Coordinates of all heavy atoms in Angstrom, one line a residue:
M187 N 140.6 12.8 25.8 CA 140.3 12.3 24.4 C 139.3 13.2 23.7 O 138.5 13.8 24.4 CB 139.7 10.9 24.4 CG 140.6 9.9 25.0 SD 139.9 8.3 24.4 CE 141.4 7.8 23.5
G188 N 139.4 13.3 22.5 CA 138.7 14.3 21.6 C 137.2 13.6 21.3 O 137.2 12.4 21.3
G189 N 136.3 14.4 21.1 CA 135.0 13.9 20.6 C 134.0 13.8 21.6 O 132.8 13.4 21.3
E190 N 134.2 14.1 22.9 CA 133.2 14.1 23.9 C 132.0 15.1 23.7 O 130.9 14.7 23.9 CB 133.8 14.3 25.3 CG 134.8 13.3 25.8 CD 136.2 13.5 25.4 OE1 136.4 14.7 24.9 OE2 137.1 12.6 25.6
G191 N 132.4 16.2 23.1 CA 131.4 17.3 22.9 C 130.5 16.8 21.8 O 129.2 17.0 21.8
S192 N 131.0 16.2 20.8 CA 130.1 15.8 19.6 C 129.2 14.6 19.9 O 128.2 14.5 19.6 CB 131.0 15.5 18.4 OG 131.8 14.4 18.7
M193 N 129.8 13.7 20.9 CA 129.0 12.6 21.3 C 127.9 13.1 22.1 O 126.7 12.6 22.2 CB 129.8 11.5 22.1 CG 130.6 10.7 21.0 SD 129.7 9.9 19.8 CE 128.5 8.9 20.7
L194 N 128.1 14.0 23.0 CA 127.0 14.6 24.0 C 126.0 15.3 23.1 O 124.7 15.1 23.4 CB 127.7 15.7 24.9 CG 126.8 16.2 25.9 CD1 126.3 15.1 26.8 CD2 127.5 17.3 26.7
A195 N 126.4 16.0 22.0 CA 125.4 16.6 21.1 C 124.5 15.5 20.4 O 123.3 15.7 20.3 CB 126.1 17.4 20.1
A196 N 125.1 14.4 20.0 CA 124.3 13.3 19.4 C 123.5 12.7 20.3 O 122.3 12.4 20.0 CB 125.4 12.3 18.8
I197 N 123.9 12.5 21.6 CA 122.9 11.9 22.6 C 121.8 12.8 22.9 O 120.6 12.4 22.9 CB 123.7 11.6 24.0 CG1 124.7 10.4 23.5 CG2 122.8 11.3 25.0 CD1 125.7 10.2 24.7
N198 N 122.1 14.1 23.0 CA 121.1 15.1 23.2 C 120.0 15.2 22.0 O 118.9 15.3 22.3 CB 121.6 16.5 23.5 CG 122.2 16.6 24.9 OD1 121.8 15.9 25.8 ND2 123.0 17.6 25.0
S199 N 120.5 15.1 20.9 CA 119.7 15.1 19.7 C 118.7 13.8 19.6 O 117.6 14.0 19.3 CB 120.6 15.1 18.4 OG 119.8 15.1 17.3
L200 N 119.3 12.7 20.0 CA 118.5 11.5 20.0 C 117.4 11.7 21.0 O 116.3 11.2 20.9 CB 119.3 10.3 20.3 CG 120.2 9.8 19.2 CD1 121.2 8.7 19.6 CD2 119.3 9.4 17.9
K201 N 117.7 12.1 22.3 CA 116.7 12.3 23.3 C 115.6 13.4 22.9 O 114.4 13.1 23.1 CB 117.5 12.9 24.6 CG 118.1 11.9 25.4 CD 118.8 12.6 26.6 CE 119.6 11.6 27.4 NZ 120.2 12.2 28.6
N202 N 115.9 14.4 22.2 CA 115.0 15.3 21.7 C 114.1 14.8 20.7 O 112.8 15.0 20.8 CB 115.7 16.6 21.2 CG 116.4 17.5 22.3 OD1 116.0 17.3 23.4 ND2 117.4 18.2 21.9
N203 N 114.7 14.0 19.8 CA 113.8 13.4 18.7 C 112.9 12.3 19.4 O 111.7 12.2 19.0 CB 114.8 12.6 17.7 CG 115.5 13.6 16.9 OD1 115.1 14.8 16.8 ND2 116.6 13.1 16.2
R204 N 113.3 11.6 20.3 CA 112.4 10.6 21.0 C 111.4 11.3 21.7 O 110.2 10.8 21.7 CB 113.4 9.8 22.0 CG 112.7 8.5 22.5 CD 113.6 7.6 23.3 NE 114.9 7.3 22.6 CZ 116.1 7.7 23.2 NH1 116.1 8.2 24.5 NH2 117.2 7.4 22.6
S205 N 111.6 12.4 22.4 CA 110.6 13.1 23.1 C 109.6 13.7 22.1 O 108.3 13.7 22.4 CB 111.1 14.3 23.9 OG 111.7 15.3 23.2
L206 N 110.0 14.2 20.9 CA 109.0 14.6 19.9 C 108.2 13.5 19.4 O 107.0 13.8 19.0 CB 109.8 15.3 18.8 CG 110.5 16.6 18.9 CD1 111.3 17.1 17.9 CD2 109.5 17.7 19.3
L207 N 108.8 12.4 19.2 CA 108.0 11.2 18.7 C 106.8 10.8 19.6 O 105.7 10.6 19.2 CB 108.9 10.0 18.4 CG 108.3 8.8 17.9 CD1 107.7 9.0 16.5 CD2 109.2 7.6 17.9
S208 N 107.1 10.9 20.9 CA 106.0 10.5 21.8 C 104.9 11.6 21.9 O 103.7 11.3 22.0 CB 106.6 10.3 23.3 OG 107.1 11.5 23.7
K209 N 105.3 12.8 21.7 CA 104.2 13.8 21.7 C 103.3 13.8 20.3 O 102.2 14.0 20.3 CB 104.9 15.3 21.7 CG 105.5 15.6 23.1 CD 106.1 16.9 23.0 CE 106.8 17.2 24.3 NZ 107.6 18.5 24.3
R210 N 104.0 13.4 19.3 CA 103.3 13.3 18.0 C 102.2 12.2 18.1 O 101.1 12.3 17.5 CB 104.3 13.0 16.9 CG 103.7 13.1 15.5 CD 104.7 12.9 14.4 NE 106.0 12.7 14.8 CZ 106.9 11.9 14.1 NH1 106.5 11.3 13.1 NH2 108.2 11.8 14.6
K211 N 102.5 11.1 18.7 CA 101.5 10.0 18.9 C 100.3 10.5 19.7 O 99.1 10.0 19.4 CB 102.1 8.8 19.5 CG 103.1 8.0 18.7 CD 103.7 6.8 19.3 CE 104.5 6.2 18.4 NZ 105.2 5.0 19.1
E212 N 100.6 11.3 20.7 CA 99.5 11.7 21.5 C 98.5 12.7 20.7 O 97.3 12.7 21.0 CB 100.0 12.5 22.8 CG 100.8 11.7 23.7 CD 101.4 12.4 24.9 OE1 101.3 13.6 24.8 OE2 102.1 11.8 25.7
R213 N 99.0 13.5 19.8 CA 98.1 14.5 19.1 C 97.7 14.0 17.8 O 97.7 14.6 16.8 CB 99.0 15.8 19.0 CG 99.2 16.5 20.2 CD 99.9 17.8 19.9 NE 101.3 17.5 19.7 CZ 102.1 18.3 18.8 NH1 101.6 19.3 18.3 NH2 103.3 18.0 18.7
S214 N 97.3 12.7 17.7 CA 96.9 12.1 16.3 C 95.5 12.8 16.0 O 94.6 13.0 16.7 CB 96.7 10.6 16.5 OG 95.7 10.3 17.3
A215 N 95.5 13.2 14.7 CA 94.4 13.9 14.2 C 93.2 13.0 14.0 O 92.0 13.4 14.1 CB 94.7 14.6 12.8
L216 N 93.4 11.7 13.6 CA 92.3 10.9 13.4 C 91.9 9.8 14.4 O 91.7 8.7 14.2 CB 92.6 10.0 12.0 CG 92.8 10.9 10.8 CD1 93.3 10.0 9.7 CD2 91.5 11.6 10.4
G217 N 92.0 10.3 15.7 CA 91.7 9.5 16.8 C 90.1 9.3 16.9 O 89.4 10.2 16.5
G218 N 89.8 8.2 17.5 CA 88.3 8.1 17.8 C 87.7 6.9 16.9 O 88.4 6.2 16.3
S219 N 86.4 6.7 17.2 CA 85.7 5.6 16.5 C 84.9 6.2 15.3 O 84.4 7.2 15.4 CB 84.8 5.0 17.5 OG 84.0 4.0 16.9
Y220 N 84.8 5.3 14.3 CA 84.0 5.6 13.2 C 82.7 4.7 13.1 O 82.2 4.4 12.0 CB 84.8 5.5 11.9 CG 85.9 6.5 11.9 CD1 87.1 6.2 12.2 CD2 85.5 7.9 11.4 CE1 88.1 7.2 12.1 CE2 86.4 8.8 11.4 CZ 87.8 8.5 11.6 OH 88.7 9.4 11.6
S221 N 82.3 4.2 14.1 CA 81.1 3.2 14.1 C 79.8 3.9 13.8 O 78.9 3.3 13.3 CB 81.1 2.4 15.5 OG 80.8 3.4 16.5
N222 N 79.7 5.2 14.1 CA 78.4 5.9 13.8 C 78.3 6.6 12.5 O 77.3 7.1 12.2 CB 78.2 6.9 14.9 CG 78.0 6.3 16.3 OD1 77.6 5.2 16.4 ND2 78.4 7.0 17.3
V223 N 79.4 6.5 11.7 CA 79.4 7.1 10.4 C 78.6 6.3 9.4 O 78.9 5.1 9.2 CB 80.9 7.3 9.9 CG1 80.9 8.0 8.6 CG2 81.6 8.2 10.9
K224 N 77.8 7.0 8.6 CA 77.0 6.2 7.6 C 77.6 6.5 6.3 O 78.1 7.6 5.9 CB 75.6 6.7 7.5 CG 74.8 6.3 8.8 CD 73.4 6.7 8.7 CE 72.6 6.5 9.9 NZ 71.3 7.0 9.9
L225 N 77.8 5.4 5.5 CA 78.5 5.5 4.2 C 77.4 5.9 3.2 O 76.2 5.6 3.2 CB 79.0 4.2 3.8 CG 80.2 3.6 4.6 CD1 80.6 2.3 4.2 CD2 81.3 4.6 4.6
A226 N 77.8 6.8 2.3 CA 76.9 7.3 1.2 C 76.8 6.3 0.1 O 77.7 5.5 -0.2 CB 77.5 8.6 0.6
K227 N 75.6 6.3 -0.5 CA 75.3 5.3 -1.6 C 75.5 6.1 -2.8 O 74.8 7.1 -3.1 CB 73.8 4.8 -1.5 CG 73.6 4.0 -0.2 CD 74.3 2.6 -0.3 CE 73.9 1.8 0.9 NZ 74.6 0.5 0.9
F228 N 76.3 5.7 -3.8 CA 76.6 6.3 -5.0 C 75.9 5.4 -6.1 O 76.0 4.2 -6.0 CB 78.0 6.4 -5.3 CG 78.7 7.4 -4.3 CD1 79.5 7.0 -3.3 CD2 78.4 8.8 -4.5 CE1 80.1 7.9 -2.5 CE2 79.1 9.7 -3.6 CZ 79.9 9.2 -2.6
P229 N 75.4 6.0 -7.1 CA 74.7 5.2 -8.2 C 75.8 4.6 -9.1 O 77.0 5.1 -9.2 CB 74.0 6.3 -9.0 CG 74.6 7.6 -8.7 CD 75.2 7.5 -7.3
K230 N 75.5 3.5 -9.7 CA 76.4 2.8 -10.6 C 76.5 3.5 -11.9 O 75.5 4.1 -12.4 CB 76.0 1.4 -10.8 CG 76.0 0.5 -9.6 CD 77.4 0.2 -9.2 CE 77.4 -0.7 -7.9 NZ 78.8 -1.1 -7.5
A231 N 77.6 3.6 -12.5 CA 77.8 4.3 -13.7 C 77.4 3.3 -15.0 O 77.8 2.1 -14.9 CB 79.2 4.7 -14.0
T232 N 76.7 3.8 -15.9 CA 76.3 2.9 -17.0 C 77.5 2.9 -18.0 O 78.4 3.8 -18.0 CB 75.1 3.5 -17.7 OG1 75.5 4.8 -18.2 CG2 74.0 3.5 -16.8
P233 N 77.7 2.0 -19.0 CA 78.7 1.9 -19.9 C 78.7 3.1 -20.7 O 79.7 3.6 -21.2 CB 78.4 0.7 -20.7 CG 77.6 -0.3 -19.8 CD 76.9 0.7 -19.0
E234 N 77.6 3.7 -21.1 CA 77.5 4.9 -21.9 C 78.1 6.1 -21.2 O 78.8 6.8 -21.8 CB 76.0 5.2 -22.3 CG 75.4 4.3 -23.2 CD 74.8 3.1 -22.5 OE1 74.6 3.2 -21.2 OE2 74.6 2.0 -23.1
Q235 N 77.8 6.2 -19.9 CA 78.4 7.3 -19.1 C 80.0 7.1 -19.0 O 80.7 8.1 -19.2 CB 77.8 7.3 -17.7 CG 76.5 7.8 -17.6 CD 75.9 7.7 -16.2 OE1 76.3 6.8 -15.5 NE2 74.8 8.4 -16.0
L236 N 80.4 5.9 -18.9 CA 81.9 5.7 -18.8 C 82.6 6.0 -20.1 O 83.6 6.6 -20.2 CB 82.1 4.2 -18.5 CG 81.7 3.8 -17.1 CD1 81.9 2.3 -16.8 CD2 82.4 4.6 -16.0
K237 N 81.9 5.7 -21.3 CA 82.4 6.1 -22.6 C 82.5 7.6 -22.8 O 83.5 8.1 -23.3 CB 81.6 5.4 -23.7 CG 81.8 4.0 -23.8 CD 81.1 3.3 -25.0 CE 81.2 1.9 -25.1 NZ 80.4 1.3 -26.2
E238 N 81.5 8.2 -22.3 CA 81.4 9.7 -22.4 C 82.5 10.4 -21.5 O 83.2 11.3 -22.0 CB 80.0 10.2 -21.9 CG 79.9 11.7 -21.9 CD 78.7 12.3 -21.4 OE1 77.7 11.4 -21.2 OE2 78.6 13.4 -20.9
I239 N 82.7 9.9 -20.4 CA 83.8 10.3 -19.5 C 85.1 10.1 -20.1 O 86.0 10.9 -20.1 CB 83.6 9.7 -18.1 CG1 82.4 10.2 -17.4 CG2 84.9 10.0 -17.2 CD1 82.1 9.4 -16.0
R240 N 85.3 8.8 -20.7 CA 86.6 8.6 -21.3 C 86.9 9.5 -22.5 O 88.0 10.0 -22.6 CB 86.5 7.2 -21.7 CG 87.8 6.7 -22.4 CD 87.7 5.2 -22.7 NE 89.0 4.7 -23.3 CZ 89.3 4.7 -24.6 NH1 88.4 5.2 -25.4 NH2 90.4 4.2 -24.9
N241 N 85.8 9.7 -23.3 CA 86.0 10.6 -24.5 C 86.3 12.0 -24.0 O 87.2 12.8 -24.7 CB 84.8 10.6 -25.4 CG 84.7 9.2 -26.1 OD1 85.6 8.5 -26.3 ND2 83.4 8.8 -26.5
R242 N 85.6 12.5 -23.0 CA 85.8 13.8 -22.6 C 87.3 14.0 -22.0 O 88.0 15.0 -22.3 CB 84.8 14.2 -21.5 CG 84.8 15.6 -21.1 CD 83.7 16.0 -20.2 NE 83.7 15.2 -18.9 CZ 82.7 14.6 -18.4 NH1 81.5 14.7 -19.0 NH2 82.8 13.8 -17.3
T243 N 87.7 13.0 -21.2 CA 89.1 13.2 -20.7 C 90.1 13.1 -21.8 O 91.1 13.8 -21.7 CB 89.4 12.1 -19.7 OG1 89.1 10.8 -20.2 CG2 88.6 12.3 -18.4
I244 N 89.9 12.2 -22.8 CA 90.8 12.2 -24.0 C 90.9 13.6 -24.7 O 92.0 14.1 -24.9 CB 90.4 11.1 -24.9 CG1 90.7 9.7 -24.3 CG2 91.2 11.2 -26.2 CD1 90.2 8.5 -25.1
K245 N 89.8 14.2 -24.9 CA 89.7 15.5 -25.5 C 90.4 16.5 -24.7 O 91.2 17.3 -25.2 CB 88.3 15.9 -25.8 CG 87.6 15.2 -26.9 CD 86.2 15.7 -27.1 CE 85.5 14.9 -28.1 NZ 84.1 15.3 -28.3
E246 N 90.2 16.6 -23.4 CA 90.8 17.5 -22.4 C 92.4 17.3 -22.5 O 93.2 18.3 -22.5 CB 90.3 17.4 -21.1 CG 88.9 18.0 -20.9 CD 88.3 17.6 -19.5 OE1 89.0 17.0 -18.7 OE2 87.1 18.0 -19.3
N247 N 92.8 16.1 -22.4 CA 94.2 15.8 -22.5 C 94.8 16.3 -23.8 O 96.0 16.7 -23.8 CB 94.5 14.3 -22.2 CG 94.2 13.8 -20.9 OD1 94.1 14.8 -19.9 ND2 94.0 12.6 -20.6
R248 N 94.2 16.1 -24.8 CA 94.6 16.5 -26.1 C 94.8 18.0 -26.2 O 95.8 18.5 -26.7 CB 93.7 16.1 -27.2 CG 94.4 15.5 -28.5 CD 93.4 15.1 -29.5 NE 93.2 13.5 -29.4 CZ 92.1 12.9 -29.7 NH1 91.1 13.7 -30.2 NH2 92.0 11.6 -29.6
K249 N 93.8 18.7 -25.7 CA 93.9 20.2 -25.6 C 95.1 20.6 -24.8 O 95.9 21.5 -25.2 CB 92.6 20.8 -25.0 CG 91.4 20.8 -26.0 CD 90.2 21.4 -25.3 CE 89.0 21.4 -26.3 NZ 87.8 22.0 -25.6
T250 N 95.3 20.1 -23.6 CA 96.4 20.5 -22.8 C 97.7 20.1 -23.4 O 98.7 20.9 -23.3 CB 96.3 19.9 -21.3 OG1 96.3 18.5 -21.5 CG2 95.1 20.4 -20.6
R251 N 97.8 19.0 -24.1 CA 99.0 18.6 -24.7 C 99.4 19.5 -25.9 O 100.5 20.0 -26.0 CB 98.9 17.2 -25.3 CG 99.9 16.2 -24.7 CD 99.9 14.9 -25.3 NE 98.5 14.3 -25.1 CZ 97.9 13.5 -25.9 NH1 98.4 13.0 -27.0 NH2 96.7 13.1 -25.5
T252 N 98.4 20.0 -26.6 CA 98.6 21.0 -27.7 C 99.0 22.3 -27.2 O 100.0 23.0 -27.7 CB 97.5 21.2 -28.6 OG1 96.2 21.5 -27.8 CG2 97.1 19.9 -29.4
K253 N 98.4 22.8 -26.0 CA 98.8 24.0 -25.4 C 100.4 24.0 -24.9 O 101.1 24.9 -25.1 CB 98.0 24.3 -24.3 CG 96.6 24.8 -24.7 CD 95.7 25.1 -23.5 CE 94.3 25.5 -23.8 NZ 93.5 25.8 -22.7
I254 N 100.7 22.9 -24.3 CA 102.1 22.7 -23.8 C 103.0 22.7 -25.0 O 104.1 23.4 -24.9 CB 102.1 21.4 -23.0 CG1 101.3 21.7 -21.7 CG2 103.6 21.1 -22.7 CD1 101.3 20.3 -20.8
M255 N 102.7 22.0 -26.1 CA 103.7 22.0 -27.2 C 103.7 23.3 -27.9 O 104.8 23.7 -28.3 CB 103.1 20.9 -28.2 CG 103.3 19.5 -27.8 SD 105.0 19.1 -27.4 CE 105.7 19.2 -29.0
L256 N 102.7 24.1 -28.0 CA 102.7 25.4 -28.5 C 103.6 26.4 -27.7 O 104.4 27.1 -28.2 CB 101.3 26.0 -28.7 CG 100.5 25.5 -29.8 CD1 99.1 26.1 -29.8 CD2 101.1 25.9 -31.2
C257 N 103.4 26.3 -26.4 CA 104.2 27.1 -25.5 C 105.7 26.7 -25.7 O 106.6 27.5 -25.6 CB 103.8 26.9 -24.1 SG 102.2 27.7 -23.7
F258 N 106.0 25.3 -25.7 CA 107.4 24.9 -25.9 C 108.0 25.4 -27.2 O 109.1 25.8 -27.2 CB 107.4 23.4 -25.8 CG 108.8 22.8 -25.9 CD1 109.7 23.0 -24.8 CD2 109.3 22.1 -27.0 CE1 110.9 22.4 -24.9 CE2 110.5 21.6 -27.0 CZ 111.3 21.7 -26.0
V259 N 107.3 25.3 -28.3 CA 107.7 25.7 -29.6 C 108.0 27.2 -29.6 O 109.0 27.7 -30.1 CB 106.7 25.3 -30.7 CG1 107.1 26.0 -32.0 CG2 106.8 23.8 -30.8
L260 N 107.1 27.9 -28.9 CA 107.1 29.4 -28.9 C 108.4 29.8 -28.1 O 109.2 30.7 -28.4 CB 106.0 30.1 -28.2 CG 105.9 31.5 -28.0 CD1 105.9 32.2 -29.4 CD2 104.7 32.0 -27.2
F261 N 108.7 29.1 -27.0 CA 109.8 29.3 -26.2 C 111.2 29.1 -27.0 O 112.1 29.7 -26.9 CB 109.8 28.5 -25.0 CG 111.1 28.5 -24.1 CD1 111.3 29.6 -23.3 CD2 112.0 27.4 -24.1 CE1 112.5 29.6 -22.5 CE2 113.1 27.4 -23.3 CZ 113.3 28.6 -22.6
L262 N 111.2 28.0 -27.8 CA 112.3 27.6 -28.7 C 112.6 28.7 -29.6 O 113.7 29.1 -29.9 CB 112.1 26.2 -29.3 CG 112.3 25.0 -28.5 CD1 112.0 23.7 -29.1 CD2 113.6 25.0 -27.8
V263 N 111.5 29.2 -30.3 CA 111.6 30.2 -31.3 C 112.2 31.5 -30.8 O 113.1 32.0 -31.1 CB 110.3 30.5 -32.0 CG1 110.2 31.7 -32.9 CG2 109.9 29.3 -32.8
L264 N 111.6 31.9 -29.5 CA 112.1 33.2 -28.9 C 113.5 33.0 -28.4 O 114.4 33.9 -28.5 CB 111.2 33.5 -27.8 CG 109.7 33.9 -28.1 CD1 108.9 34.2 -26.9 CD2 109.8 35.2 -29.0
T265 N 113.8 31.8 -27.9 CA 115.2 31.6 -27.4 C 116.2 31.6 -28.6 O 117.3 32.2 -28.6 CB 115.4 30.2 -26.7 OG1 114.4 30.2 -25.7 CG2 116.7 30.0 -26.1
S266 N 115.8 31.1 -29.7 CA 116.7 31.0 -30.9 C 116.9 32.4 -31.4 O 118.0 32.8 -31.9 CB 116.2 30.0 -31.9 OG 115.0 30.5 -32.4
I267 N 115.8 33.2 -31.5 CA 115.9 34.6 -31.9 C 116.8 35.4 -31.0 O 117.6 36.2 -31.5 CB 114.5 35.3 -32.1 CG1 113.7 34.5 -33.2 CG2 114.6 36.7 -32.3 CD1 112.3 35.0 -33.3
F268 N 116.6 35.2 -29.7 CA 117.5 35.9 -28.7 C 119.0 35.5 -28.9 O 119.8 36.4 -28.9 CB 117.0 35.6 -27.4 CG 117.8 36.3 -26.3 CD1 117.6 37.7 -26.0 CD2 118.6 35.6 -25.5 CE1 118.4 38.3 -25.1 CE2 119.4 36.2 -24.5 CZ 119.3 37.5 -24.3
L269 N 119.2 34.2 -29.0 CA 120.6 33.8 -29.2 C 121.2 34.3 -30.6 O 122.4 34.6 -30.7 CB 120.7 32.3 -29.1 CG 120.5 31.7 -27.7 CD1 120.5 30.2 -27.7 CD2 121.4 32.2 -26.6
Y270 N 120.3 34.4 -31.5 CA 120.8 34.9 -32.8 C 121.2 36.3 -32.8 O 122.2 36.7 -33.4 CB 119.7 34.6 -33.9 CG 120.2 35.1 -35.3 CD1 121.1 34.4 -36.1 CD2 119.6 36.2 -35.8 CE1 121.5 34.8 -37.4 CE2 120.0 36.7 -37.1 CZ 121.0 36.0 -37.8 OH 121.3 36.4 -39.1
L271 N 120.4 37.1 -32.1 CA 120.8 38.5 -32.0 C 121.9 38.9 -31.1 O 122.5 40.0 -31.1 CB 119.5 39.3 -31.5 CG 118.3 39.2 -32.4 CD1 117.1 39.9 -31.7 CD2 118.6 39.9 -33.8
I272 N 122.3 38.0 -30.3 CA 123.5 38.2 -29.4 C 124.7 38.0 -30.1 O 125.3 37.8 -30.8 CB 123.4 37.4 -28.1 CG1 122.3 37.7 -27.2 CG2 124.7 37.4 -27.4 CD1 122.2 36.9 -26.0

């Protein structure tokens, strides 16, 4: 019957994948205990600081949006000029 070779290849592939999975569990990067780790204390933000951060991020987002729009418009203009000349 046909298909024995392909089934053997599938079985070998499953065995190889299973062996890789067991090795991956042994080499976990975050093994160990975190009982001796001290957590850092961060100061609380005041409402004025939060407003300042909010305003600053709004301004930065506005600047990046205008830059992206200018680049897009420039690309459209250059593309239309190029297509007109062809």
Side-chain angles (χ1 to χ4, degrees):
M187 298 202 118
E190 292 92 9
S192 62
M193 282 308 298
L194 184 63
I197 291 169
N198 285 336
S199 177
L200 288 171
K201 283 182 184 178
N202 290 337
N203 289 342
R204 200 174 304 125
S205 68
L206 288 174
L207 182 64
S208 64
K209 289 179 187 174
R210 194 177 352 150
K211 287 181 182 177
E212 292 171 3
R213 289 184 284 154
S214 64
L216 296 176
S219 174
Y220 292 100
S221 62
N222 295 332
V223 176
K224 294 183 181 178
L225 297 176
K227 298 288 183 181
F228 293 104
K230 297 286 182 182
T232 63
E234 293 83 18
Q235 290 174 336
L236 293 176
K237 285 181 184 179
E238 179 187 341
I239 293 170
R240 181 175 184 272
N241 291 335
R242 187 172 60 226
T243 54
I244 289 173
K245 286 180 184 177
E246 289 174 0
N247 289 341
R248 221 178 264 151
K249 284 182 183 179
T250 55
R251 243 183 296 150
T252 55
K253 287 179 184 178
I254 291 172
M255 288 302 293
L256 283 174
C257 290
F258 182 69
V259 169
L260 181 65
F261 175 74
L262 285 178
V263 169
L264 290 176
T265 305
S266 63
I267 290 173
F268 178 73
L269 292 176
Y270 179 74
L271 293 176
I272 290 179

